[in-house]
């Protein structure tokens, strides 16, 4: 992750170099300017986190710069230093938008503490702004005991410390957004902002504006300048959900932002610097879309540097009871109700259902059941699943996986053997213990022995 970026504006070389050296020694990136003109040129192309400016400069004052800088980046903190402080000047500086007004000489340690505090306040403000627009979710994406979910967790943990883009593959409702939030919460950018944009269903103009922002007058209805999510997510993580639905005209602009770490707002002519880690997700086959010329190959290679695949719920039936109980507990808490339990038959019905909508469908089913049922135990009938089994759903859709084929075949053999596991194992050519392990993994209730 990039270091905090500071702009020092000071015409005294000794003072300027001293502040620069001290901040750089404390893991900060610093640029220097000795005039208003040089400072303006740097700020327009920089993307600075904090500005430290002397009041009196050869071609003006820092109060001349302050309104210009605030128009360009209203969230960048501004510290003004002066050798001749006065109450009137301090009041004016604060009214203009300066965060601090300090009288020189300023001790290096005092300046460092102030800069760090402003950086922390900036991070918290961004996170609060984003959090106010986000819905809380199930924050553990690895609940369950299946080998596939344990393997997913192992792979995800290996990717935490890297800054390369991550592509999360998975069906609708499988928890791609939850996994993206987990990567943010566990990684080195955890103290920075997490922003989320769903690319599906947005027009090209709206998606471009949401992603890159726009200047006032950039298009009809743009009555004020607006930050895009790349700016909001600076130093944090930008999560582009369903990136496969992104309009082809926007894809090269996103690629440029990822490779060059710069972008332009709509209606603007200057580049803005951005440091983000991208996480993208899709339920589509991007490789097939690349072959069909519906998705840029260069963008695909860039966003898929690291890839994670979330298995659908039907491929990890053994995880369903754990997920169901966790979700049900959350639903009860949200509704202010005492905790409700599942009957054995209800848990069996949950394991047997195909869950084409995955975890999202499971959560919706349980919430509906809790609204309609007032007892202390959920029965199979309360779930409203209609008795459809995974084998039926998969066969109807023409999408039978190897695991489902195995399940269908084992169930047929068990039916023919009258539920006798020993006889079924002989027919299948398996040891009885091996068959028991497969029955448990597939969530098939055992019969008599």
């Amino acid at each position: 992750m990039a270091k905090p970026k500071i702009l020092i504006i000071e015409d005294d070389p000794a003072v300027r170099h001293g502040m620069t050296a001290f901040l750089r020694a404390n893991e900060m990136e610093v640029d220097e300017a000795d005039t208003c003109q040089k400072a303006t040129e740097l700020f327009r192309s920089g993307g600075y986190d904090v500005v430290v400016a002397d009041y009196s400069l050869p071609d003006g004052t820092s109060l001349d710069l302050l309104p210009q800088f605030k128009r360009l980046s209203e969230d960048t903190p501004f510290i003004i230093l002066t050798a001749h402080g006065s109450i009137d000047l301090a009041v004016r500086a604060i009214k203009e938008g300066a965060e601090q007004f300090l009288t020189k000489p300023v001790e290096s340690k005092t300046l460092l503490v102030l800069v760090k505090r402003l950086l922390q306040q900036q991070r918290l403000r961004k996170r609060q702004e984003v959090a106010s627009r986000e819905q809380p979710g199930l924050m553990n994406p690895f609940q369950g005991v299946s080998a596939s979910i344990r393997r997913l967790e192992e792979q995800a943990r290996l990717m935490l410390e890297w800054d390369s883009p991550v592509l999360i593959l998975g069906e609708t409702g499988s928890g791609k957004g939850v996994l993206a939030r987990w990567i943010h919460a566990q990684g080195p950018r955890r103290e920075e902002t997490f922003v989320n944009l769903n690319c599906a269903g947005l027009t090209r103009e709206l998606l471009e504006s949401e992603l890159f922002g726009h200047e006032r007058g950039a298009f009809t209805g743009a009555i004020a300048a607006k930050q895009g999510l790349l700016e909001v997510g600076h130093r944090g993580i930008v999560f582009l959900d369903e990136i496969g639905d992104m309009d082809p005209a926007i894809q090269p602009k996103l690629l440029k932002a990822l490779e060059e770490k710069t972008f332009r707002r709509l209606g603007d002519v200057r580049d803005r610097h951005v440091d983000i880690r991208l996480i993208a997700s899709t339920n589509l086959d991007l490789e097939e879309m690349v072959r069909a010329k519906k998705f840029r190959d260069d963008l695909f290679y860039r966003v898929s540097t690291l890839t994670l695949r979330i298995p659908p719920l039907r491929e990890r039936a053994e995880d369903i009871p754990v997920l169901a109980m966790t979700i049900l507990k959350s639903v009860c808490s949200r509704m202010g109700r005492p905790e409700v339990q599942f009957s054995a038959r209800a848990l069996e019905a949950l394991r047997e259902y195909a869950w084409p909508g995955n975890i999202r469908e499971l959560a919706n089913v349980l919430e509906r059941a809790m609204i309609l049922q007032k007892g202390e135990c959920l029965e199979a009938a309360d779930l409203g699943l209609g008795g459809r089994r995974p084998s039926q759903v998969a066969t109807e859709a023409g999408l039978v996986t190897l695991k489902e084929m195995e399940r269908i075949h084992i169930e047929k053999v068990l039916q023919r053997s009258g539920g006798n596991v020993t006889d079924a194992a002989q027919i299948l050519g398996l040891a009885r213990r091996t068959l028991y392990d497969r029955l448990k993994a597939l969530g098939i209730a055992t019969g008599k022995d």
Side-chain angles (χ1 to χ4, degrees):
M1 188 174 66
K3 300 175 182 178
K5 195 171 182 182
I6 314 299
L7 176 59
I8 301 290
I9 310 170
E10 168 64 67
D11 61 333
D12 185 324
V15 174
R16 186 175 68 250
H17 296 331
M19 288 190 292
T20 297
F22 187 77
L23 292 177
R24 284 176 177 168
N26 284 274
E27 302 299 317
M28 296 185 187
E29 182 181 345
V30 183
D31 285 342
E32 301 178 20
D34 56 2
T35 64
C36 291
Q37 181 179 353
K38 178 68 178 298
T40 302
E41 292 172 358
L42 286 172
F43 193 83
R44 285 182 177 276
S45 62
Y48 294 96
D49 296 294
V50 176
V51 175
V52 181
D54 187 22
Y55 171 73
S56 181
L57 297 164
D59 54 349
T61 72
S62 53
L63 286 185
D64 298 326
L65 294 174
L66 187 52
Q68 302 176 45
F69 285 15
K70 287 296 181 181
R71 282 196 297 271
L72 294 170
S73 177
E74 61 181 359
D75 293 329
T76 303
F78 205 100
I79 302 171
I80 294 180
L81 311 178
T82 179
H84 308 287
S86 71
I87 294 177
D88 290 342
L89 185 59
V91 170
R92 183 184 167 200
I94 299 302
K95 283 184 176 180
E96 290 285 349
E99 272 68 27
Q100 292 289 338
F101 184 89
L102 301 178
T103 302
K104 297 164 64 175
V106 178
E107 290 187 6
S108 297
K109 290 183 179 179
T110 301
L111 180 62
L112 178 63
V113 169
L114 178 57
V115 168
K116 286 186 174 181
R117 186 167 74 237
L118 290 174
L119 289 170
Q120 180 65 15
Q121 291 173 351
Q122 190 179 47
R123 293 189 192 103
L124 289 174
R125 184 171 61 251
K126 283 186 176 182
R127 293 178 71 182
Q128 289 167 357
E129 289 173 357
V130 173
S132 66
R133 302 195 299 265
E134 297 291 341
Q135 295 292 329
L138 187 65
M139 291 309 294
N140 180 7
F142 310 116
Q143 291 191 86
V145 296
S146 64
S148 59
I149 207 68
R150 297 277 66 81
R151 185 164 55 251
L152 175 65
E153 180 178 10
E154 181 181 353
Q155 292 171 345
R157 289 191 181 280
L158 290 174
M159 299 179 183
L160 284 178
E161 298 304 317
W162 301 98
D163 244 4
S164 302
V166 178
L167 178 63
I168 303 175
L169 306 175
E171 296 179 1
T172 298
S174 58
K176 299 186 291 295
V178 174
L179 179 54
R181 285 185 172 280
W182 181 89
I183 293 172
H184 170 249
Q186 300 296 321
R189 294 177 184 252
R190 65 179 68 88
E191 297 299 324
E192 306 292 346
T193 310
F194 177 95
V195 294
N196 179 357
L197 177 62
N198 191 316
C199 302
L202 296 180
T203 64
R204 181 185 65 79
E205 293 79 8
L206 182 57
L207 179 58
E208 188 171 13
S209 174
E210 287 293 308
L211 196 57
F212 302 106
H214 61 254
E215 291 295 293
R216 181 180 178 181
F219 51 83
T220 303
I223 60 175
K226 174 189 173 184
Q227 280 189 322
L229 292 184
L230 290 183
E231 283 182 84
V232 175
H234 180 54
R235 301 198 181 283
I237 283 182
V238 173
F239 174 48
L240 297 183
D241 197 9
E242 303 304 345
I243 194 174
D245 293 304
M246 177 175 285
D247 189 285
I250 299 179
Q251 293 177 22
K253 296 183 179 181
L254 175 61
L255 180 64
K256 179 179 184 294
L258 294 175
E259 293 190 334
E260 300 179 11
K261 298 186 181 298
T262 60
F263 70 97
R264 291 181 181 178
R265 287 182 182 177
L266 288 172
D268 202 357
V269 295
R270 62 184 180 276
D271 289 333
R272 296 172 185 268
H273 173 81
V274 67
D275 167 39
I276 62 167
R277 184 180 192 184
L278 179 77
I279 302 178
S281 77
T282 183
N283 63 359
L284 303 175
D285 186 341
L286 286 190
E287 292 186 76
E288 179 57 37
M289 292 182 68
V290 168
R291 287 191 289 270
K293 306 297 183 183
K294 295 180 179 179
F295 197 87
R296 291 180 64 100
D297 55 355
D298 47 6
L299 180 59
F300 168 71
Y301 299 135
R302 184 64 182 143
V303 302
S304 63
T305 305
L306 302 172
T307 302
L308 295 169
R309 177 185 177 273
I310 301 180
L313 210 48
R314 63 179 176 275
E315 290 184 7
R316 52 185 186 113
E318 60 267 47
D319 294 339
I320 292 174
V322 175
L323 285 165
M325 287 186 281
T326 301
I327 294 171
L328 185 60
K329 183 177 180 179
S330 175
V331 171
C332 289
S333 175
R334 193 167 67 246
M335 291 183 172
R337 292 182 55 179
E339 289 189 22
V340 174
Q341 304 299 318
F342 291 101
S343 71
R345 184 65 192 93
L347 285 175
E348 183 180 354
L350 291 172
R351 286 194 298 266
E352 290 178 347
Y353 184 61
W355 301 111
N358 292 290
I359 298 175
R360 183 179 296 134
E361 183 185 9
L362 174 60
N364 290 339
V365 164
L366 295 179
E367 183 172 350
R368 181 182 66 236
M370 287 297 296
I371 291 172
L372 299 177
Q373 196 269 3
K374 302 301 181 184
E376 298 180 355
C377 182
L378 279 181
E379 300 291 345
D382 299 324
L383 302 173
L385 299 178
R388 301 184 71 199
R389 299 177 68 83
S391 56
Q392 293 174 310
V393 177
T395 303
E396 290 166 10
L399 299 171
V400 182
T401 65
L402 287 174
K403 188 170 183 178
E404 287 303 321
M405 185 63 73
E406 179 187 18
R407 179 190 179 98
I408 293 168
H409 184 59
I410 290 176
E411 286 180 331
K412 285 182 178 179
V413 172
L414 278 171
Q415 186 178 11
R416 176 171 294 184
S417 67
N420 189 298
V421 177
T422 301
D423 291 346
Q426 290 178 346
I427 295 172
L428 292 166
L430 298 173
R432 188 179 64 171
R433 183 70 263 166
T434 302
L435 179 55
Y436 270 119
D437 291 341
R438 295 309 304 147
L439 292 172
K440 182 178 179 181
L442 292 167
I444 301 174
T446 57
K448 60 188 178 181
D449 194 13

